[in-house]
Amino acid sequence: MEQQILISDLATDTLKGLSSTPKYLKSKYLYDDTGSEIFQDIMNMEEYYLTDCEYEIFSEQKDELLKAFSSNGDVFNLIELGSGDGLKTKILLSHFFNKGANFHYLPIDISQKANQYLTESLQTELPGLKVTPKTGDYFEELQKINTNEYTPKVIFFLGSNIGNFSLEETRDFLRHLSNYSKKGDKVLIGFDLKKSPDVIVKAYADPHGHTSRFTVNHLHRLNRELGADFDPQNFFHHCTYNPQSGALKSYLVASKEQKVRIEALEQVFSFRKWEPIFMETSRKFDVAFIDQLAAEHGFKAVKSFTDKRDYFVDSLWVK
Ligand code: AVI
């Protein structure tokens, strides 16, 4: 049943995206099992500095982070949106746990598999840690947590996931986050910062070809799940960075004129030579805009946790 719903969402969104001018595909579908594996390769490569930056921030500033979340040992719920394998968060969880902090960890993820893996690994690595995984939509799960007896919340949205939203989606997300937060609740959001365009472009047009495999995998997914007949060899990955807006945009570009039939949609789509399919935005921010976003949504940005190179910030907001 779940599979059927997902496939029909994929079909609807694909129809909409490939019928639009210009064409696009939604980046949330990049993460099937193969896509998630390729994303691990991306995170492990040196050029993709984002992961190392957040590791550094958490490893070097874990005491300050704990103080910021609970200065006098008060209880708090640590809720993580899109927890995935929780690898970076574990640095903090283990530190907080060993310091005797009074908290309950509630990871929320769309993937049941990821949640199960994370919970089992935490039971082995940090026996006694209070963990309650939630599988599903972020805000539906937050709503359920809100209806229980109130405990101050610290909500994590890490890894520059916010950068994959359009500005409209960003504001929509923050509006929801604000609605589900009470006075005194805190949020910690990971933002990738504007920096040398060369550094940024290398992270998304990497010499190993991982990012290219990642975006091209979307076409393999459409072939597999919607009976499409894309020849992935006829498309190549391309990205551009606009230092003014901070938008790194990724595309798949058709290297020749072609037609692609998608069985599940009973449609044929035509591509001109060099026609791009817009795949994803990976937005880069500056601190002034981050502070403005916080203020616009009823939060105050109280502290910026940055890495040594000032490449990345985990921005702490209080409602
Ligand atoms: C998940 N997200 C923050 C990644 C990013 O940096 O935008 C996705 C990604 N796409 C290509 N490389 C990484």
Side-chain angles (χ1 to χ4, degrees):
M1 186 63 186
E2 187 189 21
Q3 186 72 349
Q4 266 174 13
I5 292 167
L6 287 175
I7 288 174
S8 97
D9 279 354
L10 175 67
T12 313
D13 288 338
T14 303
L15 176 62
K16 209 166 156 207
L18 294 185
S19 308
S20 297
T21 312
K23 292 184 174 67
Y24 68 88
L25 289 170
K26 280 201 167 182
S27 63
K28 67 175 181 179
Y29 297 114
L30 289 165
Y31 302 87
D32 61 352
D33 285 348
T34 312
S36 302
E37 271 170 34
I38 304 172
F39 187 55
Q40 290 296 329
D41 293 337
I42 291 177
M43 287 197 293
N44 287 335
M45 66 185 184
E46 210 184 316
E47 291 81 2
Y48 192 72
Y49 56 84
L50 290 83
T51 316
D52 289 345
C53 289
E54 218 170 29
Y55 261 111
E56 183 197 310
I57 293 168
F58 287 180
S59 304
E60 312 241 325
Q61 302 182 61
K62 44 191 181 235
D63 271 322
E64 291 78 357
L65 281 155
L66 179 56
K67 247 179 253 155
F69 299 155
S70 162
S71 48
N72 1 316
D74 294 339
V75 62
F76 63 98
N77 278 340
L78 175 47
I79 300 167
E80 180 166 8
L81 309 180
S83 36
D85 62 10
L87 221 57
K88 281 173 291 181
T89 312
K90 278 182 183 174
I91 300 171
L92 296 183
L93 295 177
S94 120
H95 182 70
F96 295 177
F97 184 69
N98 292 327
K99 285 272 169 181
N102 190 6
F103 73 107
H104 182 173
Y105 178 51
L106 300 112
I108 303 180
D109 205 280
I110 195 82
S111 159
Q112 165 87 43
K113 216 164 119 185
N115 260 338
Q116 193 181 334
Y117 172 78
L118 174 59
T119 313
E120 283 170 7
S121 69
L122 283 171
Q123 275 158 358
T124 318
E125 291 163 34
L126 297 173
L129 177 77
K130 275 200 271 175
V131 188
T132 308
K134 308 266 174 192
T135 303
D137 175 81
Y138 297 161
F139 293 110
E140 279 170 23
E141 295 305 319
L142 266 179
Q143 172 80 63
K144 288 183 207 156
I145 295 168
N146 264 353
T147 55
N148 298 334
E149 201 179 314
Y150 180 66
T151 304
K153 293 194 284 289
V154 177
I155 302 174
F156 279 13
F157 192 50
L158 305 176
S160 190
N161 285 323
I162 199 161
N164 297 131
F165 294 155
S166 67
L167 284 179
E168 199 188 332
E169 288 166 337
T170 301
R171 290 196 158 92
D172 208 44
F173 172 83
L174 294 176
R175 205 172 313 117
H176 273 82
L177 200 58
S178 185
N179 289 341
Y180 288 106
S181 305
K182 298 206 160 68
K183 193 169 162 36
D185 281 348
K186 295 168 183 141
V187 300
L188 187 76
I189 305 183
F191 293 92
D192 194 16
L193 293 173
K194 288 182 177 172
K195 59 185 69 62
S196 159
D198 293 344
V199 173
I200 292 173
V201 169
K202 251 189 226 136
Y204 295 87
D206 67 273
H208 320 282
H210 294 321
T211 316
S212 169
R213 274 195 301 129
F214 183 58
T215 46
V216 169
N217 178 59
H218 199 134
L219 304 183
H220 287 289
R221 180 173 188 176
L222 299 183
N223 285 350
R224 220 175 27 247
E225 295 186 27
L226 299 183
D229 62 1
F230 276 101
D231 181 347
Q233 302 235 35
N234 292 341
F235 290 85
F236 63 91
H237 169 82
H238 178 73
C239 66
T240 62
Y241 177 62
N242 178 339
Q244 214 166 23
S245 66
L248 180 298
K249 296 199 175 208
S250 301
Y251 302 89
L252 283 177
V253 181
S255 55
K256 60 186 232 188
E257 187 183 322
Q258 61 203 284
K259 289 195 190 307
V260 175
R261 176 168 170 81
I262 303 187
E263 199 55 46
L265 305 179
E266 297 178 353
Q267 285 230 18
V268 173
F269 298 90
S270 300
F271 294 85
R272 296 183 313 277
K273 190 173 183 182
W274 309 130
E275 184 175 354
I277 311 175
F278 168 61
M279 301 298 287
E280 187 182 39
T281 298
S282 299
R283 189 173 300 279
K284 313 303 166 195
F285 295 81
D286 53 46
V287 172
F289 185 48
I290 294 171
D291 292 353
Q292 182 192 323
L293 282 175
E296 274 176 21
H297 296 90
F299 293 100
K300 187 170 168 33
V302 289
K303 195 163 162 80
S304 294
F305 295 90
T306 53
D307 61 294
K308 285 192 201 82
R309 294 178 292 185
D310 279 331
Y311 275 10
F312 194 93
V313 64
D314 280 301
S315 184
L316 179 67
W317 300 1
V318 180
K319 180 83 189 283

